[in-house]
Amino acid sequence: MRTRLLLTALTLALIPVAHAATSTSTRPAQPVVQGTRQLDGQNAKVGQTFTLGKGSPLNFTLKSAEYSTRRVVIGGNVYYPKADEKLLILHYTVQNPQKTAARYYWADLKFTAVDAQDRNHEFIEAVAREGTTDKLEVNLKPAQKVDVMTVIVVPAAGPVPKLIVQRESGTPVLRYDLRTQTKGLLAPFADTADKSGATALAQVPAAKGKFVSLKWYDVRLDEAKFTTEALGGQAPGAGKRYLTATFTLKNNLGRDTTFAWSDLKPTLKDADGERVEYNQTMLKASRDEKAGGALPKGEEARVRFYFELPENVAGDSVLLTDESGRTFVFDVKGAK
């Protein structure tokens, strides 16, 4: 009898005072503030497995998270961050713990990133099977597991402290503190002023002879040189010459596409720091003919841009961007 009384006393001691039905406290009632209650849920860490959902539960494990500025293709859609954005890429597994088959597609889990200013950023409403560009929609057999990835577009500057994952509206959520659990950006995309690697540069240094990724194409600077030949059907003005920049465009979208002068926006910065804007003409690499047309998947096209400069002024860099605004800066000081 004494043991039972002792256990009862210990059990009551674990109940928060505010929940004790027999409390006789005369403290004044606390004010109720609407809209400030945190969603029910629990803190989680990368690598932990949780069962989410009631009617059709799924086992969820966040394997890793990383920041990126690269292109992500899922199905027919291309996701590419603008100059003031980066991508938060999530890699995770989903497993069916039920005794019957369970469907999984993008709407079955909701991902929300919360930035340092407490602004919410929802995921792209698409998921892919890990290692592919295929949209994922699958009926999981009992105990079957699938590796998945998805993307959230977030601000380019600074870390994203929090990730919230939810199975169904009104059910408990998982909260991840991402400040120490997210892989940072690498050079040359990372702003070195942010030691965490969480800030993406809007202008990225690029090396000649190496591909970099814009939204629709991978691009590579092959050659930069001066010429006085007629280009675009017109010779350079008196006392002037053209600086030409030859690029290779490669289609790595996994499907056929097209290319045209309006898809790219090159600008030349000269040795005096002045800029020569794009003349909206893209030529074939070795002919004075306009370039453009079909670009089948996996294939390449070589194109040439040209800029008029005074003959005594050298070039400094070619800045190449597209509709995203993120710019790659190619050094052309060595052009002859």
Side-chain angles (χ1 to χ4, degrees), residues 142-336:
Q144 183 180 355
K145 181 187 292 185
V146 62
D147 291 320
V148 194
M149 66 82 64
T150 193
V151 172
I152 307 177
V153 181
V154 296
V160 176
K162 186 187 296 184
L163 173 69
I164 298 172
V165 183
Q166 189 174 32
R167 173 75 169 100
E168 302 155 342
S169 180
T171 60
V173 303
L174 299 178
R175 297 186 189 86
Y176 292 85
D177 183 344
L178 294 183
R179 287 173 292 186
T180 60
Q181 300 189 80
T182 305
K183 182 180 178 181
L185 296 158
L186 301 176
F189 304 96
D191 185 341
T192 56
D194 182 350
K195 302 302 181 184
S196 71
T199 298
L201 291 172
Q203 289 196 351
V204 181
K208 177 182 174 183
K210 292 186 178 181
F211 279 108
V212 293
S213 294
L214 288 171
K215 183 173 183 178
W216 302 109
Y217 323 105
D218 291 350
V219 296
R220 181 186 69 205
L221 175 64
D222 296 329
E223 182 182 40
K225 66 179 182 178
F226 286 100
T227 183
T228 55
E229 68 177 309
L231 294 176
Q234 185 173 344
K240 296 187 177 182
R241 57 183 176 170
Y242 292 132
L243 186 147
T244 65
T246 302
F247 284 86
T248 294
L249 312 182
K250 186 171 184 178
N251 176 7
N252 274 329
L253 294 179
R255 57 179 170 81
D256 295 346
T257 189
T258 59
F259 69 107
W261 67 267
S262 57
D263 294 327
L264 298 168
K265 298 175 176 62
T267 303
L268 173 68
K269 186 171 118 176
D270 69 23
D272 294 333
E274 296 184 0
R275 297 198 178 204
V276 182
E277 298 301 326
Y278 184 29
N279 56 20
Q280 299 187 351
T281 302
M282 181 172 65
L283 300 176
K284 295 178 180 178
S286 57
R287 285 173 283 176
D288 189 20
E289 299 174 10
K290 290 184 178 180
L295 189 60
K297 63 179 180 180
E299 294 194 9
E300 299 178 353
R302 296 185 72 237
V303 302
R304 185 170 40 151
F305 303 106
Y306 63 101
F307 307 89
E308 189 177 62
L309 281 176
E311 60 185 11
N312 63 339
V313 177
D316 178 86
S317 54
V318 171
L319 291 74
L320 187 65
T321 187
D322 58 8
E323 64 190 58
S324 72
R326 175 157 277 114
T327 301
F328 289 95
V329 182
F330 297 88
D331 188 334
V332 295
K333 296 184 186 70
K336 302 295 185 183

